[in-house]
């Protein structure tokens, strides 16, 4: 009798969930007869909870002990059932990953601002051609990543995977590489139009980093090397390339030099971009471990990984101050928690930090121009 009472005490969370969903279901039914979709969701959740409660009750009635493995198995089943309630609109939004496209916007904007600091001229035509082309390349990166993760089984339970949503691995693969081809043509055209072929080499290196990050036979992301590749691709390679294109498009000289300012800015851009990738691993550690993907979070664990994020953010601002005080960046550039959402918080940091950095470079040019006029 005592054992049964003890076991039922362990089962109390399930009883509480059952009561909660029962009350919510009937409350919604009373308030609105039109809200059928909500009723169906709550009803299905109630049925799941009732099923698991029945299973626990039968086991405990016989004096069976609830092991940690069986408990986690039940919770996993409940979680999978509830995940089915995610709306198609939410899944499509997650699949599109619109906030992630800031990684196309920030290197271009910072690179263009650094070129403006040097020349005082900005080419809007060049900027928007580069932006459209960069978005196409990032689309290739996202789609091909879903394709190759589908092949390895990482995304087998990921409902927001584009391959799982569309149901055609081949179709997504073709669209991905069409985007890459169109994007690369646009980037090359802008570089040739500006008369700076060196930037094509930088952009090619950036795209190559993206390829060996996820594509066979390399798949270096499975060895935990995604963050260094991400840093190089979006930092020194992409930011410097956009700086060269914008600077050459607005410069009267044939040879537009790299500067310490743009190299310092590119380090900061690469830093924040890598932080987005690092945080994207937090909610998929189990899936990565299952297929042998040695992401940094698999190696470190989520607790130590969270400490790394804190240290990284502090280091980011320390670098910014150091670059400002050493005059590698203008002083105007120095301006002063949930697992699944961590990468989105880092996207905001990346976008806002990049915008502030670009604004500081533009402001420095404006201040310098006024001083020269005086």
């Amino acid at each position: 009798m005592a054992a049964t009472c003890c076991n039922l005490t362990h089962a109390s969370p399930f009883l509480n969930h059952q009561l909660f969903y029962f009350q919510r279901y009937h409350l919604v039914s009373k308030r609105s007869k039109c809200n059928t979709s909500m009723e169906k969701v709550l009803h299905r959740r109630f049925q799941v909870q009732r099923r698991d409660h029945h299973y626990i009750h039968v086991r405990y009635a016989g004096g069976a002990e609830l092991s940690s493995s069986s408990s986690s198995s039940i919770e996993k089943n409940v979680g999978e059932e509830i995940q089915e309630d995610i709306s198609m609109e939410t899944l499509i939004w997650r699949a599109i990953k619109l906030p992630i496209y800031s990684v196309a916007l920030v290197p271009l904007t910072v690179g263009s601002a650094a070129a403006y600091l040097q020349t005082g001229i900005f080419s809007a035509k060049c900027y928007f051609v580069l932006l459209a082309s960069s978005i196409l390349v990032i689309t290739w990166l996202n789609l091909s990543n879903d394709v190759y993760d589908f092949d390895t089984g990482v995304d087998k339970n990921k409902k927001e995977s584009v391959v799982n949503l569309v149901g055609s691995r081949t179709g997504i693969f073709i669209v991905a590489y069409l985007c890459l081809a169109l994007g690369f043509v646009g980037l090359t055209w802008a570089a040739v139009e500006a008369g700076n072929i060196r930037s094509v080499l930088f952009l090619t290196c950036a795209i190559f980093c993206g390829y060996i990050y996820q594509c066979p036979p390399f798949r270096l992301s499975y060895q935990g090397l995604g963050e260094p590749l991400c840093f190089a691709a979006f930092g020194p390679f992409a930011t410097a390339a956009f700086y060269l294109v914008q600077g050459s498009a607005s410069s009267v000289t044939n040879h537009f030099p790299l500067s310490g300012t743009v190299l310092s800015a590119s380090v900061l851009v690469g830093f924040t971009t890598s932080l987005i990738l690092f945080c994207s691993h937090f909610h998929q550690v189990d899936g990565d471990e299952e297929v042998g993907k040695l992401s940094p979070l698999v190696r470190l664990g989520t607790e130590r990984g969270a400490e790394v994020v804190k240290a990284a953010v502090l280091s980011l601002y320390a670098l910014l101050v150091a670059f400002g005080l050493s005059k590698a960046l203008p002083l105007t550039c120095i301006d002063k928690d949930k697992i699944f959402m961590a990468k989105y918080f880092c996207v905001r940091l990346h976008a806002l930090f990049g915008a502030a950095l670009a604004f500081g470079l533009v402001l420095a040019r404006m201040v310098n121009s006024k001083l020269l006029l005086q």
Side-chain angles (χ1 to χ4, degrees), residues 1-53:
M1 181 67 179
T4 303
C5 290
C6 181
N7 288 330
L8 285 176
T9 300
H10 285 298
S12 61
F14 292 94
L15 296 175
N16 292 336
H17 280 303
Q18 179 182 350
L19 179 61
F20 171 74
Y21 286 118
F22 179 81
Q23 291 172 337
R24 285 285 302 277
Y25 172 65
H26 285 285
L27 182 61
V28 170
S29 298
K30 289 179 180 179
R31 285 184 177 178
S32 173
K33 294 182 179 180
C34 299
N35 198 357
T36 56
S37 60
M38 179 62 75
E39 289 182 21
K40 289 179 181 178
V41 168
L42 293 174
H43 180 67
R44 182 157 65 231
R45 292 186 180 184
F46 172 68
Q47 293 296 335
V48 171
Q49 295 290 344
R50 188 173 64 177
R51 181 199 65 191
D52 288 312
H53 167 59

CSV table of all heavy atoms in Angstrom, one decimal, residues 1-53:
chain,number,residue,atom,x,y,z
A,1,MET,N,0.8,-1.2,0.0
A,1,MET,CA,0.0,0.0,0.0
A,1,MET,C,0.9,1.3,0.0
A,1,MET,O,0.7,2.2,-0.7
A,1,MET,CB,-0.9,0.0,1.2
A,1,MET,CG,-1.8,1.2,1.3
A,1,MET,SD,-3.1,1.2,0.0
A,1,MET,CE,-4.0,2.6,0.4
A,2,ALA,N,1.9,1.2,0.8
A,2,ALA,CA,2.8,2.4,0.9
A,2,ALA,C,3.5,2.6,-0.4
A,2,ALA,O,3.7,3.7,-0.8
A,2,ALA,CB,3.8,2.2,2.1
A,3,ALA,N,3.9,1.4,-1.0
A,3,ALA,CA,4.6,1.5,-2.3
A,3,ALA,C,3.7,2.1,-3.4
A,3,ALA,O,4.2,2.9,-4.2
A,3,ALA,CB,5.1,0.2,-2.7
A,4,THR,N,2.5,1.7,-3.3
A,4,THR,CA,1.5,2.2,-4.3
A,4,THR,C,1.3,3.7,-4.2
A,4,THR,O,1.3,4.5,-5.1
A,4,THR,CB,0.2,1.5,-4.2
A,4,THR,OG1,0.4,0.1,-4.3
A,4,THR,CG2,-0.8,2.0,-5.3
A,5,CYS,N,1.2,4.2,-2.9
A,5,CYS,CA,1.0,5.6,-2.6
A,5,CYS,C,2.2,6.4,-3.1
A,5,CYS,O,2.1,7.5,-3.7
A,5,CYS,CB,0.8,5.9,-1.2
A,5,CYS,SG,-0.8,5.3,-0.6
A,6,CYS,N,3.4,5.8,-2.8
A,6,CYS,CA,4.6,6.5,-3.2
A,6,CYS,C,4.7,6.6,-4.7
A,6,CYS,O,5.1,7.7,-5.3
A,6,CYS,CB,5.8,5.7,-2.7
A,6,CYS,SG,7.4,6.4,-3.2
A,7,ASN,N,4.3,5.5,-5.5
A,7,ASN,CA,4.4,5.6,-6.9
A,7,ASN,C,3.4,6.6,-7.5
A,7,ASN,O,3.7,7.2,-8.5
A,7,ASN,CB,4.1,4.2,-7.5
A,7,ASN,CG,5.3,3.2,-7.2
A,7,ASN,OD1,6.4,3.7,-7.2
A,7,ASN,ND2,5.0,1.9,-7.1
A,8,LEU,N,2.2,6.6,-6.9
A,8,LEU,CA,1.2,7.6,-7.3
A,8,LEU,C,1.7,9.0,-7.1
A,8,LEU,O,1.3,9.9,-7.8
A,8,LEU,CB,-0.1,7.3,-6.6
A,8,LEU,CG,-0.9,6.1,-7.1
A,8,LEU,CD1,-2.1,5.9,-6.3
A,8,LEU,CD2,-1.3,6.2,-8.6
A,9,THR,N,2.5,9.2,-6.0
A,9,THR,CA,3.0,10.5,-5.8
A,9,THR,C,4.0,10.9,-6.9
A,9,THR,O,4.0,12.1,-7.4
A,9,THR,CB,3.8,10.5,-4.5
A,9,THR,OG1,2.9,10.2,-3.4
A,9,THR,CG2,4.4,11.9,-4.2
A,10,HIS,N,4.8,10.0,-7.4
A,10,HIS,CA,5.6,10.2,-8.6
A,10,HIS,C,4.8,10.5,-9.8
A,10,HIS,O,5.3,11.2,-10.7
A,10,HIS,CB,6.5,9.0,-8.8
A,10,HIS,CG,7.6,8.9,-7.8
A,10,HIS,ND1,8.6,9.8,-7.7
A,10,HIS,CD2,7.9,7.9,-6.9
A,10,HIS,CE1,9.5,9.4,-6.7
A,10,HIS,NE2,9.1,8.3,-6.3
A,11,ALA,N,3.6,10.0,-9.9
A,11,ALA,CA,2.8,10.2,-11.1
A,11,ALA,C,2.0,11.4,-11.0
A,11,ALA,O,1.3,11.8,-12.0
A,11,ALA,CB,1.9,9.0,-11.2
A,12,SER,N,2.1,12.2,-9.9
A,12,SER,CA,1.2,13.3,-9.7
A,12,SER,C,1.4,14.4,-10.8
A,12,SER,O,0.4,15.0,-11.2
A,12,SER,CB,1.5,14.0,-8.4
A,12,SER,OG,2.8,14.4,-8.3
A,13,PRO,N,2.6,14.6,-11.4
A,13,PRO,CA,2.6,15.6,-12.5
A,13,PRO,C,1.7,15.2,-13.7
A,13,PRO,O,1.1,16.1,-14.3
A,13,PRO,CB,4.1,15.5,-12.9
A,13,PRO,CG,4.8,15.1,-11.7
A,13,PRO,CD,3.9,14.1,-11.0
A,14,PHE,N,1.6,13.9,-13.9
A,14,PHE,CA,0.7,13.5,-15.0
A,14,PHE,C,-0.8,13.7,-14.7
A,14,PHE,O,-1.6,14.1,-15.5
A,14,PHE,CB,0.9,12.0,-15.3
A,14,PHE,CG,2.3,11.7,-15.9
A,14,PHE,CD1,3.3,11.4,-15.1
A,14,PHE,CD2,2.5,11.9,-17.3
A,14,PHE,CE1,4.6,11.1,-15.7
A,14,PHE,CE2,3.7,11.7,-17.9
A,14,PHE,CZ,4.8,11.3,-17.1
A,15,LEU,N,-1.1,13.5,-13.4
A,15,LEU,CA,-2.5,13.8,-12.9
A,15,LEU,C,-2.8,15.3,-13.0
A,15,LEU,O,-3.9,15.6,-13.5
A,15,LEU,CB,-2.7,13.3,-11.5
A,15,LEU,CG,-2.5,11.8,-11.3
A,15,LEU,CD1,-2.6,11.5,-9.8
A,15,LEU,CD2,-3.5,11.0,-12.0
A,16,ASN,N,-1.8,16.1,-12.7
A,16,ASN,CA,-2.0,17.5,-12.7
A,16,ASN,C,-2.2,18.0,-14.2
A,16,ASN,O,-3.1,18.8,-14.5
A,16,ASN,CB,-0.8,18.3,-12.1
A,16,ASN,CG,-0.8,18.1,-10.6
A,16,ASN,OD1,-1.8,17.8,-10.0
A,16,ASN,ND2,0.4,18.2,-10.1
A,17,HIS,N,-1.4,17.4,-15.1
A,17,HIS,CA,-1.5,17.7,-16.5
A,17,HIS,C,-2.9,17.3,-17.0
A,17,HIS,O,-3.6,18.0,-17.8
A,17,HIS,CB,-0.5,17.0,-17.3
A,17,HIS,CG,0.9,17.7,-17.3
A,17,HIS,ND1,1.0,19.0,-17.7
A,17,HIS,CD2,2.1,17.3,-16.9
A,17,HIS,CE1,2.3,19.4,-17.5
A,17,HIS,NE2,3.0,18.3,-17.1
A,18,GLN,N,-3.4,16.1,-16.6
A,18,GLN,CA,-4.7,15.6,-17.0
A,18,GLN,C,-5.8,16.6,-16.6
A,18,GLN,O,-6.6,17.0,-17.4
A,18,GLN,CB,-4.9,14.3,-16.5
A,18,GLN,CG,-6.3,13.7,-16.9
A,18,GLN,CD,-6.6,12.4,-16.3
A,18,GLN,OE1,-5.7,11.8,-15.7
A,18,GLN,NE2,-7.8,11.9,-16.4
A,19,LEU,N,-5.8,17.0,-15.3
A,19,LEU,CA,-6.8,17.9,-14.8
A,19,LEU,C,-6.7,19.3,-15.5
A,19,LEU,O,-7.7,19.8,-15.9
A,19,LEU,CB,-6.5,18.2,-13.3
A,19,LEU,CG,-7.5,19.1,-12.6
A,19,LEU,CD1,-8.9,18.6,-12.7
A,19,LEU,CD2,-7.1,19.3,-11.1
A,20,PHE,N,-5.5,19.8,-15.8
A,20,PHE,CA,-5.3,21.1,-16.5
A,20,PHE,C,-5.9,21.0,-17.9
A,20,PHE,O,-6.7,21.9,-18.2
A,20,PHE,CB,-3.8,21.4,-16.6
A,20,PHE,CG,-3.5,22.6,-17.4
A,20,PHE,CD1,-3.8,23.8,-17.0
A,20,PHE,CD2,-3.0,22.4,-18.7
A,20,PHE,CE1,-3.5,24.9,-17.8
A,20,PHE,CE2,-2.7,23.5,-19.5
A,20,PHE,CZ,-3.0,24.7,-19.0
A,21,TYR,N,-5.6,20.0,-18.7
A,21,TYR,CA,-6.1,19.9,-20.0
A,21,TYR,C,-7.6,19.7,-20.0
A,21,TYR,O,-8.3,20.2,-20.9
A,21,TYR,CB,-5.4,18.9,-20.8
A,21,TYR,CG,-4.0,19.3,-21.2
A,21,TYR,CD1,-2.9,18.6,-20.8
A,21,TYR,CD2,-3.8,20.4,-22.0
A,21,TYR,CE1,-1.6,19.0,-21.1
A,21,TYR,CE2,-2.6,20.9,-22.4
A,21,TYR,CZ,-1.5,20.2,-22.0
A,21,TYR,OH,-0.2,20.6,-22.3
A,22,PHE,N,-8.1,18.9,-19.0
A,22,PHE,CA,-9.6,18.6,-18.9
A,22,PHE,C,-10.3,20.0,-18.7
A,22,PHE,O,-11.3,20.3,-19.4
A,22,PHE,CB,-9.8,17.7,-17.8
A,22,PHE,CG,-11.3,17.4,-17.6
A,22,PHE,CD1,-11.9,16.4,-18.4
A,22,PHE,CD2,-12.0,18.0,-16.6
A,22,PHE,CE1,-13.3,16.2,-18.2
A,22,PHE,CE2,-13.3,17.7,-16.4
A,22,PHE,CZ,-14.0,16.8,-17.2
A,23,GLN,N,-9.8,20.8,-17.8
A,23,GLN,CA,-10.4,22.1,-17.5
A,23,GLN,C,-10.3,23.0,-18.7
A,23,GLN,O,-11.3,23.7,-19.0
A,23,GLN,CB,-9.8,22.7,-16.2
A,23,GLN,CG,-10.0,21.9,-15.0
A,23,GLN,CD,-9.2,22.5,-13.8
A,23,GLN,OE1,-8.2,23.1,-14.0
A,23,GLN,NE2,-9.7,22.2,-12.6
A,24,ARG,N,-9.2,23.1,-19.3
A,24,ARG,CA,-9.0,24.0,-20.4
A,24,ARG,C,-9.9,23.6,-21.6
A,24,ARG,O,-10.5,24.4,-22.2
A,24,ARG,CB,-7.6,23.9,-20.9
A,24,ARG,CG,-6.6,24.6,-20.1
A,24,ARG,CD,-6.7,26.2,-20.2
A,24,ARG,NE,-6.5,26.6,-21.6
A,24,ARG,CZ,-5.3,26.8,-22.2
A,24,ARG,NH1,-4.2,26.6,-21.5
A,24,ARG,NH2,-5.2,27.2,-23.4
A,25,TYR,N,-10.1,22.3,-21.8
A,25,TYR,CA,-10.9,21.8,-22.9
A,25,TYR,C,-12.3,22.2,-22.7
A,25,TYR,O,-13.0,22.7,-23.6
A,25,TYR,CB,-10.7,20.3,-23.0
A,25,TYR,CG,-11.7,19.6,-24.0
A,25,TYR,CD1,-11.6,19.9,-25.4
A,25,TYR,CD2,-12.7,18.8,-23.6
A,25,TYR,CE1,-12.5,19.3,-26.3
A,25,TYR,CE2,-13.6,18.2,-24.4
A,25,TYR,CZ,-13.4,18.4,-25.8
A,25,TYR,OH,-14.3,17.9,-26.7
A,26,HIS,N,-12.8,22.0,-21.5
A,26,HIS,CA,-14.2,22.3,-21.3
A,26,HIS,C,-14.5,23.8,-21.2
A,26,HIS,O,-15.5,24.3,-21.6
A,26,HIS,CB,-14.7,21.6,-20.0
A,26,HIS,CG,-14.9,20.1,-20.2
A,26,HIS,ND1,-16.0,19.6,-20.9
A,26,HIS,CD2,-14.2,19.1,-19.9
A,26,HIS,CE1,-16.0,18.3,-20.9
A,26,HIS,NE2,-14.8,17.9,-20.3
A,27,LEU,N,-13.5,24.5,-20.7
A,27,LEU,CA,-13.6,26.0,-20.7
A,27,LEU,C,-13.7,26.6,-22.1
A,27,LEU,O,-14.5,27.4,-22.3
A,27,LEU,CB,-12.4,26.6,-19.9
A,27,LEU,CG,-12.4,28.1,-19.8
A,27,LEU,CD1,-13.6,28.6,-18.9
A,27,LEU,CD2,-11.1,28.6,-19.1
A,28,VAL,N,-12.8,26.1,-23.0
A,28,VAL,CA,-12.9,26.6,-24.4
A,28,VAL,C,-14.2,26.2,-25.0
A,28,VAL,O,-14.8,27.0,-25.7
A,28,VAL,CB,-11.7,26.0,-25.2
A,28,VAL,CG1,-11.9,26.3,-26.6
A,28,VAL,CG2,-10.4,26.6,-24.7
A,29,SER,N,-14.7,25.0,-24.7
A,29,SER,CA,-16.0,24.6,-25.3
A,29,SER,C,-17.1,25.5,-24.9
A,29,SER,O,-18.0,25.8,-25.7
A,29,SER,CB,-16.2,23.1,-24.9
A,29,SER,OG,-15.2,22.3,-25.4
A,30,LYS,N,-17.1,25.9,-23.6
A,30,LYS,CA,-18.2,26.7,-23.1
A,30,LYS,C,-18.1,28.1,-23.7
A,30,LYS,O,-19.1,28.8,-24.0
A,30,LYS,CB,-18.1,26.8,-21.6
A,30,LYS,CG,-18.5,25.5,-20.9
A,30,LYS,CD,-18.4,25.6,-19.4
A,30,LYS,CE,-18.8,24.3,-18.7
A,30,LYS,NZ,-18.7,24.5,-17.2
A,31,ARG,N,-16.9,28.7,-23.8
A,31,ARG,CA,-16.7,30.1,-24.2
A,31,ARG,C,-17.1,30.2,-25.7
A,31,ARG,O,-17.6,31.3,-26.1
A,31,ARG,CB,-15.3,30.5,-24.0
A,31,ARG,CG,-15.0,30.8,-22.5
A,31,ARG,CD,-13.6,31.3,-22.4
A,31,ARG,NE,-13.3,31.7,-21.0
A,31,ARG,CZ,-12.2,32.1,-20.6
A,31,ARG,NH1,-11.2,32.3,-21.4
A,31,ARG,NH2,-12.0,32.4,-19.3
A,32,SER,N,-16.7,29.3,-26.5
A,32,SER,CA,-16.8,29.5,-28.0
A,32,SER,C,-17.1,28.2,-28.7
A,32,SER,O,-16.3,27.3,-28.6
A,32,SER,CB,-15.6,30.2,-28.6
A,32,SER,OG,-15.7,30.3,-30.0
A,33,LYS,N,-18.1,28.1,-29.4
A,33,LYS,CA,-18.4,26.9,-30.2
A,33,LYS,C,-17.7,27.0,-31.6
A,33,LYS,O,-17.7,26.1,-32.3
A,33,LYS,CB,-19.9,26.8,-30.4
A,33,LYS,CG,-20.7,26.5,-29.2
A,33,LYS,CD,-22.1,26.4,-29.4
A,33,LYS,CE,-22.9,26.1,-28.1
A,33,LYS,NZ,-24.3,25.9,-28.3
A,34,CYS,N,-17.2,28.2,-31.9
A,34,CYS,CA,-16.5,28.4,-33.2
A,34,CYS,C,-15.1,28.0,-33.2
A,34,CYS,O,-14.5,27.8,-34.2
A,34,CYS,CB,-16.7,29.9,-33.6
A,34,CYS,SG,-18.4,30.4,-33.8
A,35,ASN,N,-14.5,28.0,-32.0
A,35,ASN,CA,-13.0,27.8,-31.9
A,35,ASN,C,-12.7,26.3,-31.9
A,35,ASN,O,-12.2,25.7,-31.0
A,35,ASN,CB,-12.5,28.4,-30.6
A,35,ASN,CG,-11.0,28.6,-30.6
A,35,ASN,OD1,-10.3,28.2,-31.6
A,35,ASN,ND2,-10.5,29.1,-29.6
A,36,THR,N,-13.1,25.6,-33.0
A,36,THR,CA,-13.0,24.2,-33.1
A,36,THR,C,-11.5,23.7,-33.2
A,36,THR,O,-11.2,22.6,-32.7
A,36,THR,CB,-13.7,23.7,-34.4
A,36,THR,OG1,-13.2,24.4,-35.5
A,36,THR,CG2,-15.2,24.0,-34.3
A,37,SER,N,-10.7,24.5,-33.8
A,37,SER,CA,-9.3,24.1,-33.9
A,37,SER,C,-8.6,24.0,-32.5
A,37,SER,O,-7.9,23.1,-32.2
A,37,SER,CB,-8.5,25.0,-34.8
A,37,SER,OG,-8.5,26.3,-34.2
A,38,MET,N,-8.9,25.0,-31.6
A,38,MET,CA,-8.4,25.0,-30.3
A,38,MET,C,-8.9,23.8,-29.5
A,38,MET,O,-8.2,23.1,-28.7
A,38,MET,CB,-8.7,26.3,-29.6
A,38,MET,CG,-8.2,26.3,-28.1
A,38,MET,SD,-6.4,26.2,-28.0
A,38,MET,CE,-5.9,27.8,-28.6
A,39,GLU,N,-10.2,23.5,-29.7
A,39,GLU,CA,-10.8,22.4,-29.0
A,39,GLU,C,-10.2,21.1,-29.4
A,39,GLU,O,-9.9,20.2,-28.6
A,39,GLU,CB,-12.3,22.3,-29.3
A,39,GLU,CG,-13.2,23.4,-28.7
A,39,GLU,CD,-14.6,23.3,-29.0
A,39,GLU,OE1,-15.0,22.2,-29.4
A,39,GLU,OE2,-15.4,24.3,-28.9
A,40,LYS,N,-9.9,20.9,-30.7
A,40,LYS,CA,-9.2,19.7,-31.2
A,40,LYS,C,-7.8,19.6,-30.6
A,40,LYS,O,-7.4,18.5,-30.2
A,40,LYS,CB,-9.1,19.7,-32.7
A,40,LYS,CG,-10.5,19.6,-33.4
A,40,LYS,CD,-10.3,19.6,-34.9
A,40,LYS,CE,-11.6,19.5,-35.6
A,40,LYS,NZ,-11.5,19.6,-37.1
A,41,VAL,N,-7.1,20.7,-30.5
A,41,VAL,CA,-5.7,20.6,-29.9
A,41,VAL,C,-5.8,20.2,-28.5
A,41,VAL,O,-5.1,19.3,-28.0
A,41,VAL,CB,-5.0,22.0,-30.1
A,41,VAL,CG1,-3.8,22.0,-29.2
A,41,VAL,CG2,-4.7,22.3,-31.5
A,42,LEU,N,-6.7,20.9,-27.7
A,42,LEU,CA,-6.7,20.6,-26.3
A,42,LEU,C,-7.3,19.2,-26.0
A,42,LEU,O,-6.8,18.5,-25.1
A,42,LEU,CB,-7.6,21.6,-25.6
A,42,LEU,CG,-7.1,23.0,-25.5
A,42,LEU,CD1,-8.1,24.0,-24.9
A,42,LEU,CD2,-5.8,23.0,-24.7
A,43,HIS,N,-8.2,18.8,-26.9
A,43,HIS,CA,-8.8,17.4,-26.7
A,43,HIS,C,-7.7,16.4,-27.0
A,43,HIS,O,-7.7,15.4,-26.3
A,43,HIS,CB,-10.0,17.3,-27.7
A,43,HIS,CG,-10.6,15.9,-27.6
A,43,HIS,ND1,-11.3,15.5,-26.5
A,43,HIS,CD2,-10.6,14.9,-28.5
A,43,HIS,CE1,-11.7,14.3,-26.7
A,43,HIS,NE2,-11.4,13.9,-27.9
A,44,ARG,N,-6.9,16.6,-28.0
A,44,ARG,CA,-5.9,15.6,-28.3
A,44,ARG,C,-4.9,15.5,-27.2
A,44,ARG,O,-4.4,14.4,-26.8
A,44,ARG,CB,-5.2,16.0,-29.7
A,44,ARG,CG,-4.2,14.9,-30.1
A,44,ARG,CD,-3.9,15.0,-31.6
A,44,ARG,NE,-3.3,16.2,-31.9
A,44,ARG,CZ,-3.7,17.0,-32.9
A,44,ARG,NH1,-4.8,16.6,-33.6
A,44,ARG,NH2,-3.1,18.1,-33.2
A,45,ARG,N,-4.5,16.7,-26.7
A,45,ARG,CA,-3.5,16.7,-25.6
A,45,ARG,C,-4.1,16.0,-24.3
A,45,ARG,O,-3.4,15.2,-23.6
A,45,ARG,CB,-3.1,18.1,-25.2
A,45,ARG,CG,-2.3,18.8,-26.3
A,45,ARG,CD,-1.8,20.2,-25.9
A,45,ARG,NE,-1.1,20.8,-26.9
A,45,ARG,CZ,-0.4,22.0,-26.8
A,45,ARG,NH1,-0.5,22.6,-25.6
A,45,ARG,NH2,0.3,22.5,-27.8
A,46,PHE,N,-5.4,16.2,-24.1
A,46,PHE,CA,-6.1,15.6,-23.0
A,46,PHE,C,-6.1,14.1,-23.1
A,46,PHE,O,-5.8,13.3,-22.2
A,46,PHE,CB,-7.5,16.1,-22.9
A,46,PHE,CG,-8.4,15.4,-21.9
A,46,PHE,CD1,-8.1,15.4,-20.5
A,46,PHE,CD2,-9.4,14.6,-22.3
A,46,PHE,CE1,-8.9,14.8,-19.6
A,46,PHE,CE2,-10.2,13.9,-21.4
A,46,PHE,CZ,-9.9,14.0,-20.0
A,47,GLN,N,-6.3,13.6,-24.4
A,47,GLN,CA,-6.4,12.2,-24.6
A,47,GLN,C,-5.0,11.5,-24.4
A,47,GLN,O,-4.8,10.4,-23.9
A,47,GLN,CB,-6.8,11.9,-26.1
A,47,GLN,CG,-8.3,12.3,-26.4
A,47,GLN,CD,-9.2,11.4,-25.6
A,47,GLN,OE1,-8.9,10.3,-25.2
A,47,GLN,NE2,-10.4,11.9,-25.3
A,48,VAL,N,-3.9,12.3,-24.9
A,48,VAL,CA,-2.6,11.8,-24.7
A,48,VAL,C,-2.2,11.6,-23.2
A,48,VAL,O,-1.7,10.6,-22.7
A,48,VAL,CB,-1.5,12.7,-25.3
A,48,VAL,CG1,-0.1,12.4,-24.9
A,48,VAL,CG2,-1.7,12.7,-26.8
A,49,GLN,N,-2.6,12.7,-22.4
A,49,GLN,CA,-2.3,12.7,-21.0
A,49,GLN,C,-3.1,11.6,-20.3
A,49,GLN,O,-2.6,10.9,-19.4
A,49,GLN,CB,-2.7,14.0,-20.3
A,49,GLN,CG,-1.8,15.2,-20.8
A,49,GLN,CD,-0.4,15.0,-20.3
A,49,GLN,OE1,-0.2,14.3,-19.3
A,49,GLN,NE2,0.5,15.8,-20.9
A,50,ARG,N,-4.4,11.3,-20.7
A,50,ARG,CA,-5.2,10.3,-20.1
A,50,ARG,C,-4.6,8.9,-20.4
A,50,ARG,O,-4.6,8.0,-19.6
A,50,ARG,CB,-6.6,10.4,-20.6
A,50,ARG,CG,-7.6,9.5,-19.9
A,50,ARG,CD,-9.0,9.7,-20.3
A,50,ARG,NE,-9.3,9.4,-21.6
A,50,ARG,CZ,-10.5,9.5,-22.2
A,50,ARG,NH1,-11.5,9.9,-21.5
A,50,ARG,NH2,-10.6,9.2,-23.5
A,51,ARG,N,-4.1,8.8,-21.6
A,51,ARG,CA,-3.5,7.5,-22.0
A,51,ARG,C,-2.3,7.1,-21.2
A,51,ARG,O,-2.2,6.0,-20.7
A,51,ARG,CB,-3.1,7.5,-23.5
A,51,ARG,CG,-2.5,6.2,-24.0
A,51,ARG,CD,-1.7,6.5,-25.3
A,51,ARG,NE,-0.6,7.3,-25.0
A,51,ARG,CZ,0.2,7.9,-25.9
A,51,ARG,NH1,-0.2,7.8,-27.2
A,51,ARG,NH2,1.2,8.7,-25.6
A,52,ASP,N,-1.4,8.2,-21.0
A,52,ASP,CA,-0.2,7.9,-20.2
A,52,ASP,C,-0.5,7.7,-18.7
A,52,ASP,O,0.1,7.0,-18.0
A,52,ASP,CB,0.8,9.1,-20.4
A,52,ASP,CG,1.4,9.0,-21.8
A,52,ASP,OD1,1.8,8.0,-22.2
A,52,ASP,OD2,1.4,10.1,-22.4
A,53,HIS,N,-1.6,8.5,-18.2
A,53,HIS,CA,-2.0,8.3,-16.9
A,53,HIS,C,-2.5,6.8,-16.6
A,53,HIS,O,-2.2,6.2,-15.6
A,53,HIS,CB,-3.0,9.3,-16.5
A,53,HIS,CG,-3.7,9.0,-15.2
A,53,HIS,ND1,-3.0,8.8,-14.0
A,53,HIS,CD2,-5.0,8.7,-14.9
A,53,HIS,CE1,-3.9,8.5,-13.0
A,53,HIS,NE2,-5.1,8.4,-13.6
